[in-house]
Each structure stands twice: as structure tokens, then as C-alpha cells.
Amino acid sequence: MPALTTTSDGFLLDGEPFRIVSGAMHYFRVHPAQWTDRLRKARLMGLNTIETYVPWNLHQPDPDGPVVLDGLLDLPRYLRLAHAEGLHVLLRPGPFICAEWDGGGLPSWLTADPDIRLRSSDTRFTDAFDRYLDRLLPALLPHMAASGGPVIAVQVENEYGAYGNDTAYLKHLELALSSRGVEELLFTCDQADPAHLAAGALPGTLATATFGSRVAPSLARLREHRPEGPLMCAEFWIGWFDHWGEPHHVRDTADAAADLDALLAAGASVNIYMFHGGTNFAFTNGANHDHAYSPIVTSYDYDAPLTESGDPGPKYHAFREVIARHAPVPDKPAPAPAPKLPHTEVEFGRRAPLLPYAHALSESVRSDLPATMDELGLRAGYALYRTTVPEAGDGLLCFPGGVGDRAQVFLDGAPVGVLERERHEETLPVRVPRAGAVLDVLVENMGGVNYGARIGAPKGLLGPVDLNGTVLHGWDCHPLPLDDLSAVPFTPSASTTDSVPAFHHGTFGVTVPADTFLALPGWTKGQAWVNGFHLGRYWNRGPQRTLYVPSPVLRPGSNDLVLLELQATTGRRALLTDTPDLGPVVP
Ligand code: GLA
């Protein structure tokens, strides 16, 4: 029998009445040296449980390789730390996790095959997930409650009713978990809508709902769907995420606290989404694609109780008070904000332009027509495509298949324009300076769609490119995952103001490492690394204006900052500040 069981209106844990007061915190969005701190702060807010997704795409980068379980992906360690902190765990292993995460957590080696029906009982999909579970679960089973560990419940799929109605698929997943030794309570979660619940729930398995407001009607819908059993909001949205080019989302603290109070007063269990959002480090952010492609920013602060840098914000204190009305809260002072690095300026002394040195970073693949990033075996990052143009003169450069997701075009090294999937751009007027001019197209994967029908949409150059109707042939395609910058041929240079894509290297001194926020006034768009740790994307389009630098990536003494600036910069320096700037809020 599982440790967590259900009654006609609630839960029992080891036979005793139990209410889940949980908060979401994705280990893969928080530096591992900070996990203990964040878990402790969860307990101090009054949470008895922590919830996390498990991102298949990162844990199994290679379909034939082992699962990756170290560093930021050391889920067994995260579970041990949660247990040591006295927290229970809700585990949500997918396969699909949504979560504003690259591809919704589905590996690109899987989504690259357009024939596979994702999130269905297509055996090519379920077999791949089963093979992953075969490798993942042995590492997790010791952390299940049945073995004395913290995991008390495991979610099957994620809001499946918003996507499909293949009940056989959900049944397969349920059996895939239980037949591999998962004895804990299984549950599904769906938006609080009758049609979603009908399509996404499984008879005989706990159904939960996701919502952020309208507490009474949402719980009523869940009760209509399930006349008996615990009421649980598996994602109580207390904030929201941001897209590039849109305002920053915040939710009023009093409003969120009142809804939390109503939820708990109704006797429901809750998982606050998010308790601590963290960061989409490196190339891990997802994207939405409804009418237009719209990528998610680097910060996943979510306006959550614990800010991106792990400090208690207004919701932390308000939620703690609300929880204390309904459940025990530790009789300890609320945590104080962590110290921040003093204001620091970083000068850049070395530089390396990208286009002439792409060959130093990766071997190119020669192909007649441009290969997509999937065809290049590239999961994330950039690809540089190079060919020559036979004739000089004015013309229209066409990308009829589109670009995935943002292409910068150069002729003989000079920038001639940008095309964005977001803006449905597919043509560019150009002046070719000479016959035989070199055409470079640098394409950025801005993040894989994580919700809806377009998951797995290809990246890179998506089909032939033509100039005035004549298709260009003979391309060198350079995959640029940028996961190792050791080969970047930096040379001393005082100038940062060229308008070509270039790496810039600077150093700064630190006495005592502490959290800080990287501000890049005058810089346009690119990537940032501190001491080799990939902080993620920056873009002056906003709303996000600073990047979080977790203190564990800093060291006493000299530290390195590397930027890949794609466009132009008027900035000669970068700033490390003590205050995040996530941009102007939604009016
Ligand atoms: C849904 C999904 C989550 C997340 C939220 C929005 O509820 O299940 O993974 O995408 O929306 O943040």
C-alpha cells in the first residue's frame, strides 16, 4: 500500500489525515549549491512538500546513452536533501512537462522524427519513454516512500486533457511506472475544465486540477468530475512567466494570498506554482506558439514567494501567514535576504569575432542545401550556414521554409539584416557586393515550443534559400552548441563597438562571493557566461534587463565574464549590480 492514500475527501499519510501544502521548485533551475538553502526556506514558509518536474530532454541527451544524474541534474541528491529537510516530494516525470521548458521536456532526438505521434500510444513514443524509465527509475526508487524516501506521489503526464484524449496512452504510462516498482500514489493534473478533466483523467487514479484564481468554481468543477476523493490544486498559479518583448508579469500579493486562503479554507491540498521559479540557464527556455512564435525569457522568477535569487519576497511573508491559519508553520524567524556583491564594473580586454573562427568551435558539415539543426544533431544553440553567391547586384534573398528562429545575414562579413520567426519574416532585400561574395547566415534556436501542437518544430534554416528565385547550393553548416568556449581564440583588443557577432572577455575581482545581477547597458543581444557557467540569453528587447549570477559560480579573486554579442554594442563595460531588473510590469 502506498504511504499516501486517499479517503472520500482527503489524504492519509501512513494512515494519518494529511493535507499536502506543497510548492514547486525545479532543481534544474537552481544552482545545486543552493538547493539546501531553498528547501529550508520552503519548510520555513510552512510547506510540508516540494514538487518538481523531471526534464527528460536533459536527463537523456542521447537515446542510447545513460541518463545524466550529476550537477544540476543530480535528482537523487535533491531528493536526499528534501528528505533531510523533512519535506515530502511530489514527482512529475512527464514524459511531457510543459513548464516553459525547451520542448516541454521532450528530447529533440525524439521530436526530430515528424512521423512519431508525440504524447500518444504510438509505440515509437512509448517505447522511447519506457527505455528512459528503465534507466532513470533505478536511481529514484530508493527515494520513494516505500523505501523510506520522501516521494509520496508521482504524476502521470501533464495537463494531458489540454492536448489529447488517448486514454490508452495514459494507462500505458501508469503501468510503465507501477511495473517498474513505483508503488506510490499516482495522479493526473488538468486545467479545471470539464472537457480537460474528462480527456486527461484516468479512471481509478487521483485527478487534480490546475488553476490560479476562481477557487470556488474551480474546486466545484473538480468535485463534479470526481464526486469523492481529495480536492487538490496541483498548480496554484501565484505569478506568471515572461516572453521577450512583452511586459513583466506580476500578481498582486494580497490577491494571491486571499485565493490561497480560500483554497486551504475549503480543505483542499495545494501545490503553489511556483514557490521558487529559478532561472532558465543556458539554452533551456521554452516558447509558446499560438498565433506567433514567442520565446520565454531567461529568468523564471515567476513573481514567486522566493525570488529568482532565493530571497523571500512579499508573497513569502503573506503566504506564511495564510498557511499558519491552516497548518503548522515552524516557529522560527522568516529568512533574511542573502548578501549581494558590491557594485562592480567589468572591462573587456579581449575579443574574438565569431564568423572567421566558427571553424575553431566546430567541424562543419557540407551539404547541397542547408541542413536543419536536427539534421546537424544540434539540440540547442546556434548554427552558422555559409555559401557563396554567384552574381553581384541587388536582389531579394528568400527563405521560403522560414527560419528557426532568428537569422542574421552577412555578405562578405558585413551585416545585411535579420529575419525573425516571431515576425514571420522570410525575405530580405540585399546588395551583393561582388560575384563570389560569401553569404553567412547565423541562426539562433530561441527555445523549443513547450505547449500545444508545435512541440518539436524544427530549428535552423528550414529549407532551400534563394536569391531572386535561384536556389543557392553548396553550404557549410557549422553547429555551434557553445557548450565549450575553450577554443575561442581571444586576442587583446580595446574595442567592443564593432557590429559583428563577437565574443568579449573581461575579468573582475571578488572578495567574498555573493549573488549579483549582470546588467549590460548598451549591449544588444547575446549570451553570457561567468567562469564558464552559462547564465543564459540577454536581449535589450526586454522586459528582462539583468541576468541572475548565483554566488556559487563566483570565486574569491579573479573571475571571468564572457559575452557573445550578436549585434552592435555601444557598451564598453558590464555592470554587476545588487538589484534585479526584470522589466516594466504588465499595466
Ligand atoms: C501549466 C503547465 C505548467 C506551466 C504552467 C504555466 O499549468 O502544466 O507546466 O507551463 O501552465 O506556467
Short mmCIF file of all heavy atoms in Angstrom, two decimals, residues 53 92 97-100 158-159 189 191 210 235 237 240-241 273 300 302 450-451, ligand 1:
data_model
loop_
_atom_site.label_atom_id
_atom_site.label_comp_id
_atom_site.label_asym_id
_atom_site.label_seq_id
_atom_site.Cartn_x
_atom_site.Cartn_y
_atom_site.Cartn_z
N TYR A 53 9.17 18.83 -11.49
CA TYR A 53 9.18 18.09 -12.75
C TYR A 53 10.53 17.40 -12.89
O TYR A 53 11.50 17.72 -12.16
CB TYR A 53 9.02 19.04 -13.93
CG TYR A 53 7.64 19.58 -14.19
CD1 TYR A 53 7.41 20.95 -14.23
CD2 TYR A 53 6.58 18.73 -14.46
CE1 TYR A 53 6.15 21.46 -14.52
CE2 TYR A 53 5.31 19.23 -14.75
CZ TYR A 53 5.11 20.59 -14.78
OH TYR A 53 3.87 21.10 -15.08
N ARG A 92 7.07 14.77 -10.86
CA ARG A 92 6.30 14.84 -12.11
C ARG A 92 7.24 14.53 -13.28
O ARG A 92 7.83 15.45 -13.88
CB ARG A 92 5.66 16.22 -12.24
CG ARG A 92 4.79 16.57 -11.01
CD ARG A 92 3.70 17.53 -11.31
NE ARG A 92 4.15 18.91 -11.49
CZ ARG A 92 3.37 19.86 -11.96
NH1 ARG A 92 2.13 19.58 -12.35
NH2 ARG A 92 3.82 21.09 -12.05
N ILE A 97 6.44 17.85 -19.77
CA ILE A 97 6.37 18.65 -18.54
C ILE A 97 5.93 20.09 -18.79
O ILE A 97 5.74 20.83 -17.83
CB ILE A 97 7.71 18.65 -17.76
CG1 ILE A 97 8.83 19.34 -18.54
CG2 ILE A 97 8.10 17.22 -17.35
CD1 ILE A 97 10.08 19.62 -17.71
N CYS A 98 5.80 20.53 -20.01
CA CYS A 98 5.41 21.92 -20.32
C CYS A 98 6.41 22.89 -19.66
O CYS A 98 7.52 23.03 -20.14
CB CYS A 98 3.98 22.18 -19.85
SG CYS A 98 3.26 23.65 -20.60
N ALA A 99 6.00 23.57 -18.57
CA ALA A 99 6.93 24.27 -17.69
C ALA A 99 7.78 25.35 -18.34
O ALA A 99 8.83 25.71 -17.81
CB ALA A 99 7.85 23.25 -16.99
N GLU A 100 7.36 25.85 -19.52
CA GLU A 100 8.15 26.90 -20.18
C GLU A 100 9.59 26.41 -20.39
O GLU A 100 10.55 27.17 -20.36
CB GLU A 100 8.12 28.21 -19.38
CG GLU A 100 6.80 28.88 -19.32
CD GLU A 100 5.72 28.11 -18.57
OE1 GLU A 100 5.79 28.01 -17.33
OE2 GLU A 100 4.79 27.60 -19.22
N ASN A 158 1.08 15.41 -18.06
CA ASN A 158 0.88 16.76 -17.53
C ASN A 158 -0.18 17.48 -18.33
O ASN A 158 -0.01 17.68 -19.54
CB ASN A 158 2.19 17.55 -17.63
CG ASN A 158 2.10 18.87 -16.90
OD1 ASN A 158 2.13 18.89 -15.67
ND2 ASN A 158 1.97 19.95 -17.64
N GLU A 159 -1.26 17.83 -17.66
CA GLU A 159 -2.38 18.52 -18.32
C GLU A 159 -2.68 17.88 -19.67
O GLU A 159 -2.79 18.57 -20.69
CB GLU A 159 -2.07 20.01 -18.50
CG GLU A 159 -2.07 20.80 -17.22
CD GLU A 159 -2.04 22.30 -17.45
OE1 GLU A 159 -1.63 22.75 -18.53
OE2 GLU A 159 -2.45 23.04 -16.54
N CYS A 189 -3.05 15.66 -13.62
CA CYS A 189 -3.48 17.04 -13.38
C CYS A 189 -4.00 17.63 -14.68
O CYS A 189 -3.48 17.34 -15.75
CB CYS A 189 -2.36 17.89 -12.78
SG CYS A 189 -1.23 18.62 -13.95
N GLN A 191 -6.33 21.24 -16.39
CA GLN A 191 -6.95 22.54 -16.15
C GLN A 191 -8.39 22.30 -15.68
O GLN A 191 -9.03 21.32 -16.11
CB GLN A 191 -6.90 23.38 -17.42
CG GLN A 191 -5.47 23.85 -17.70
CD GLN A 191 -5.24 24.32 -19.12
OE1 GLN A 191 -6.11 24.91 -19.73
NE2 GLN A 191 -4.05 24.05 -19.65
N THR A 210 -5.56 22.28 -12.14
CA THR A 210 -4.61 23.39 -12.14
C THR A 210 -5.39 24.69 -12.35
O THR A 210 -6.21 24.77 -13.26
CB THR A 210 -3.56 23.22 -13.26
OG1 THR A 210 -4.23 23.15 -14.52
CG2 THR A 210 -2.74 21.97 -13.06
N GLU A 235 -1.46 22.81 -9.45
CA GLU A 235 -0.68 24.00 -9.80
C GLU A 235 -1.53 25.21 -9.47
O GLU A 235 -2.49 25.51 -10.19
CB GLU A 235 -0.33 24.04 -11.29
CG GLU A 235 0.74 23.07 -11.70
CD GLU A 235 1.03 23.15 -13.20
OE1 GLU A 235 0.86 24.24 -13.79
OE2 GLU A 235 1.40 22.12 -13.76
N TRP A 237 -1.38 28.84 -9.57
CA TRP A 237 -0.51 29.83 -10.23
C TRP A 237 -0.56 31.15 -9.48
O TRP A 237 -1.54 31.89 -9.56
CB TRP A 237 -0.95 30.04 -11.68
CG TRP A 237 -0.99 28.76 -12.47
CD1 TRP A 237 -0.02 27.80 -12.54
CD2 TRP A 237 -2.05 28.30 -13.31
NE1 TRP A 237 -0.41 26.78 -13.37
CE2 TRP A 237 -1.65 27.05 -13.85
CE3 TRP A 237 -3.29 28.81 -13.66
CZ2 TRP A 237 -2.45 26.31 -14.71
CZ3 TRP A 237 -4.10 28.09 -14.53
CH2 TRP A 237 -3.68 26.86 -15.05
N TRP A 240 3.40 34.48 -12.93
CA TRP A 240 3.38 34.02 -14.33
C TRP A 240 4.77 34.22 -14.93
O TRP A 240 5.64 34.86 -14.33
CB TRP A 240 2.31 34.75 -15.12
CG TRP A 240 1.79 34.00 -16.31
CD1 TRP A 240 1.89 34.38 -17.62
CD2 TRP A 240 1.07 32.74 -16.32
NE1 TRP A 240 1.29 33.44 -18.44
CE2 TRP A 240 0.77 32.43 -17.67
CE3 TRP A 240 0.67 31.85 -15.32
CZ2 TRP A 240 0.10 31.27 -18.04
CZ3 TRP A 240 -0.02 30.69 -15.69
CH2 TRP A 240 -0.30 30.41 -17.04
N PHE A 241 4.95 33.71 -16.13
CA PHE A 241 6.25 33.78 -16.83
C PHE A 241 6.24 34.91 -17.86
O PHE A 241 5.17 35.44 -18.18
CB PHE A 241 6.53 32.44 -17.50
CG PHE A 241 5.42 31.97 -18.40
CD1 PHE A 241 5.35 32.39 -19.72
CD2 PHE A 241 4.42 31.13 -17.93
CE1 PHE A 241 4.32 31.98 -20.56
CE2 PHE A 241 3.38 30.71 -18.76
CZ PHE A 241 3.33 31.14 -20.07
N TYR A 273 2.46 27.02 -7.49
CA TYR A 273 3.31 27.04 -8.69
C TYR A 273 3.59 28.50 -9.03
O TYR A 273 2.68 29.21 -9.41
CB TYR A 273 2.59 26.36 -9.85
CG TYR A 273 3.49 26.09 -11.04
CD1 TYR A 273 4.07 24.84 -11.22
CD2 TYR A 273 3.76 27.09 -11.98
CE1 TYR A 273 4.90 24.59 -12.31
CE2 TYR A 273 4.59 26.83 -13.05
CZ TYR A 273 5.15 25.58 -13.22
OH TYR A 273 5.98 25.33 -14.29
N TYR A 300 13.12 32.81 -14.64
CA TYR A 300 11.83 32.14 -14.35
C TYR A 300 11.43 32.56 -12.93
O TYR A 300 10.98 31.76 -12.13
CB TYR A 300 11.98 30.62 -14.50
CG TYR A 300 10.67 29.87 -14.70
CD1 TYR A 300 9.89 30.09 -15.83
CD2 TYR A 300 10.22 28.93 -13.78
CE1 TYR A 300 8.69 29.41 -16.03
CE2 TYR A 300 9.03 28.23 -13.98
CZ TYR A 300 8.27 28.48 -15.11
OH TYR A 300 7.10 27.78 -15.31
N TYR A 302 8.97 34.25 -11.90
CA TYR A 302 7.55 33.88 -11.77
C TYR A 302 6.80 34.74 -10.76
O TYR A 302 5.69 34.45 -10.40
CB TYR A 302 7.44 32.39 -11.40
CG TYR A 302 6.28 31.69 -12.09
CD1 TYR A 302 6.42 31.16 -13.37
CD2 TYR A 302 5.04 31.59 -11.47
CE1 TYR A 302 5.36 30.52 -14.00
CE2 TYR A 302 3.97 30.96 -12.11
CZ TYR A 302 4.15 30.43 -13.38
OH TYR A 302 3.11 29.80 -14.02
N ASN A 450 6.90 24.66 -26.01
CA ASN A 450 6.64 23.74 -24.90
C ASN A 450 5.16 23.49 -24.66
O ASN A 450 4.81 22.82 -23.70
CB ASN A 450 7.29 24.24 -23.60
CG ASN A 450 6.72 25.57 -23.15
OD1 ASN A 450 7.27 26.61 -23.50
ND2 ASN A 450 5.65 25.56 -22.39
N TYR A 451 4.30 24.01 -25.50
CA TYR A 451 2.86 23.83 -25.26
C TYR A 451 2.16 23.79 -26.61
O TYR A 451 2.48 24.57 -27.49
CB TYR A 451 2.33 25.01 -24.42
CG TYR A 451 0.88 24.85 -23.98
CD1 TYR A 451 0.55 24.01 -22.92
CD2 TYR A 451 -0.15 25.52 -24.62
CE1 TYR A 451 -0.77 23.86 -22.51
CE2 TYR A 451 -1.48 25.38 -24.21
CZ TYR A 451 -1.78 24.55 -23.16
OH TYR A 451 -3.08 24.39 -22.75
C1 GLA B 1 0.54 24.70 -16.98
C2 GLA B 1 1.64 23.67 -17.04
C3 GLA B 1 2.89 24.12 -16.33
C4 GLA B 1 3.23 25.54 -16.69
C5 GLA B 1 2.05 26.43 -16.36
C6 GLA B 1 2.28 27.89 -16.69
O1 GLA B 1 -0.13 24.61 -15.83
O2 GLA B 1 1.22 22.43 -16.51
O3 GLA B 1 3.94 23.25 -16.66
O4 GLA B 1 3.50 25.59 -18.05
O5 GLA B 1 0.95 26.04 -17.12
O6 GLA B 1 3.41 28.36 -16.06
#
